[in-house]
Amino acid sequence: MAYLRRQILTAALTANAIRPIPGLRAGIPSFFAGWMTNELAPHLLALTAADTVTHLGPKRRSKAGLALAAASAVGLGHLIRTAGKVKDGVEEALTEGIGVDYVERLDAAPSPAELATNWRSLVNPFKIVTPDIEVLRNIAYTDAGRRGQLDIYRAKDQDLTDAPVLLQVHGGGWTIGDKREQGLPLMTHLAAKGWICVAINYRLAPRNPFPAHIIDVKKAIAWIRENIAAYGGDPDYLAITGGSAGGHLAALAALTPDVKEFQPGFEDADTSVSVAIPHYGVYDFAGATGLKSMILMRDRFLAPRILQKRWKDDPEAFEAASPILQIRPDAPDFFVLHGTNDTLVPVEQARLFVARLREVADNSVVYAELPFAQHAYDIFKSVRAGHVVKAIDRYLHWHWNGYRQGLDVSEVDADVIIDNAEAEAN
């Protein structure tokens, strides 16, 4: 009976990962169950196989349990194959967004071995920071105590001068989260390649209602501009990334470099960024997209917990907090990523955000939609996270090399994209 119960649980987890339960309330438990199952599908498949082998004795055999184990194995195999196909999906997104010849601007085209999944590294997916990376902990960038501190990730044995800089903003629904918990696969990967990566804490609701969060992100940008050269970074080149609430804050910071309301006391500081890479972000605080999910989030969560005011009393505050309503022609380059199975922030919001970016912004917009991916797919090492990290690596080095060569990213590759479209039409 114990084996049968375990297989019922595994089958339920697998089914939820493939087809999660939607809805504002059901979406939260559906996320937690589906996220871990999806990203740890190889491990769960191995455990299911081992459990089944030990159960195959003639006196203990449960036909129902074996049937469920077989069904789970098929489902988990499907999840693993789908995660593996992300490699092709993100490459298609890059070529569509910045041109098929973008690799010519890389230091070297990636080899098949470099693009392949490193299965050995996935044995312990939570072992992320490697000995060749040093982490400088708890550097104060504001006077907010622990919530005003940042960590710097950089390579130990490299000559770092004017290195590109990445700012990582953690998620957690604007109410929880810590700089040590998120973005680690990407930061350690880039740090090993000579980047300076900065992960920040920021003040959280409900103690500190919005806009405290975005003010702190902008304070961090200003701190980087003034201080990162001492750590080997280029203060003039800054990429920003984050997931969920961090994706919202990264996008909003990228789109509001001169909004004085978000820079009280440091209005004249340069808080612009060169490029933004938001993951599964929230782009609509105001319900402007008309999506029912966002109106419910606005009224049931954002209003009482984060902004601590009602929409009808101050709609301008919700609109100012909505990246989709702050898009303008001079927006920086964007690489937006979102999973189709996201039950916390439905993918339709990302689609509308990207459509608006492409309509208004002059710079490049890359969009990768990840099949079957749940929220938080990039927190630890997995098949999917590995392909996403490598795609961001290619994108950022394409962007960084263009910056170093003094190229206009949008104009150079817009011609390439137009030529490709005309060639396909003919």
Side-chain angles (χ1 to χ4, degrees), residues 209-221:
F210 192 89
H213 315 71
I214 188 63
I215 291 171
D216 285 357
V217 172
K218 286 178 170 289
K219 285 181 178 178
I221 295 172

Side-chain angles (χ1 to χ4, degrees), residues 330-386:
D330 64 347
D333 300 276
F334 266 83
F335 185 2
V336 181
L337 301 101
H338 214 104
T340 62
N341 278 18
D342 195 322
T343 57
L344 297 186
V345 184
V347 68
E348 289 80 10
Q349 187 176 162
R351 293 170 183 166
L352 293 170
F353 178 64
V354 168
R356 184 63 177 163
L357 274 172
R358 288 174 171 168
E359 177 185 354
V360 175
D362 294 331
N363 284 319
S364 66
V365 180
V366 178
Y367 177 52
E369 194 167 289
L370 311 178
F372 291 93
Q374 252 288 2
H375 209 71
Y377 52 76
D378 62 329
I379 300 297
F380 50 83
K381 290 183 179 180
S382 69
V383 175
R384 180 179 288 104

Side-chain angles (χ1 to χ4, degrees), residues 39-364:
E39 302 311 315
L40 296 177
H43 306 75
L44 188 55
L45 178 59
L47 288 173
T48 300
D51 193 16
T52 299
V53 168
T54 60
H55 177 73
L56 288 178
K59 294 183 179 180
R60 297 186 296 170
R61 189 172 300 169
S62 166
K63 292 183 178 180
L66 292 173
L68 287 170
S72 296
V74 172
L76 292 168
H78 173 69
L79 292 173
I80 295 168
R81 288 191 299 272
T82 302
K85 291 180 180 178
V86 166
K87 177 178 69 173
D88 298 326
V90 290
E91 181 62 20
E92 290 174 6
L94 290 172
T95 56
E96 177 188 357
I98 56 178
V100 294
D101 63 345
Y102 82 90
V103 293
E104 295 178 5
R105 199 190 289 176
L106 304 182
D107 297 332
S111 68
E114 290 172 328
L115 296 177
T117 297
N118 183 353
W119 292 99
R120 181 178 297 178
S121 71
L122 300 185
V123 173
N124 182 358
F126 304 103
K127 183 181 179 180
I128 302 174
V129 179
T130 54
D132 58 329
I133 303 299
E134 70 171 341
V135 186
L136 308 177
R137 299 282 188 193
N138 301 328
I139 301 169
Y141 73 94
T142 74
D143 59 359
R146 186 173 68 88
R147 300 312 311 176
Q149 294 178 341
L150 57 81
D151 295 341
I152 294 177
Y153 293 72
R154 63 182 185 179
K156 285 183 178 178
D157 300 319
Q158 294 188 31
D159 180 17
L160 298 172
T161 304
D162 289 334
V165 182
L166 176 77
L167 172 59
Q168 156 68 27
V169 186
H170 72 75
W174 306 272
T175 61
I176 60 173
D178 187 85
K179 55 186 168 58
R180 300 188 184 205
E181 299 169 350
Q182 299 175 30
L184 294 176
L186 177 61
M187 288 194 295
T188 54
H189 179 89
L190 289 176
K193 289 195 167 188
W195 284 62
I196 305 295
C197 297
V198 181
I200 64 167
N201 279 340
Y202 52 87
R203 289 172 295 167
L204 300 172
R207 172 177 291 183
N208 298 283
F210 192 89
H213 315 71
I214 188 63
I215 291 171
D216 285 357
V217 172
K218 286 178 170 289
K219 285 181 178 178
I221 295 172
W223 185 94
I224 289 169
R225 296 281 187 205
E226 295 178 3
N227 298 280
I228 204 65
Y231 299 91
D234 182 350
D236 295 324
Y237 185 90
L238 175 61
I240 189 168
T241 188
S244 193
H248 161 259
L249 294 169
L252 188 62
L255 294 167
T256 59
D258 53 5
V259 174
K260 304 304 183 185
E261 294 82 356
F262 293 158
Q263 299 182 203
F266 60 110
E267 291 86 354
D268 295 330
D270 179 6
T271 60
S272 62
V273 301
S274 302
V275 60
I277 309 100
H279 299 257
Y280 41 90
V282 179
Y283 306 113
D284 178 19
F285 270 39
T289 57
L291 296 172
K292 181 179 179 181
S293 60
M294 292 318 303
I295 295 172
L296 289 173
M297 179 184 285
R298 180 194 72 191
D299 294 340
R300 297 184 182 180
F301 178 67
L302 295 174
R305 292 278 294 174
I306 309 307
L307 279 81
Q308 298 178 21
K309 59 181 66 177
R310 295 184 300 178
W311 155 255
K312 67 179 182 179
D313 294 336
D314 191 358
E316 291 81 7
F318 290 80
E319 292 167 357
S322 300
I324 197 169
L325 297 179
Q326 304 303 320
I327 298 171
R328 56 199 208 181
D330 64 347
D333 300 276
F334 266 83
F335 185 2
V336 181
L337 301 101
H338 214 104
T340 62
N341 278 18
D342 195 322
T343 57
L344 297 186
V345 184
V347 68
E348 289 80 10
Q349 187 176 162
R351 293 170 183 166
L352 293 170
F353 178 64
V354 168
R356 184 63 177 163
L357 274 172
R358 288 174 171 168
E359 177 185 354
V360 175
D362 294 331
N363 284 319
S364 66

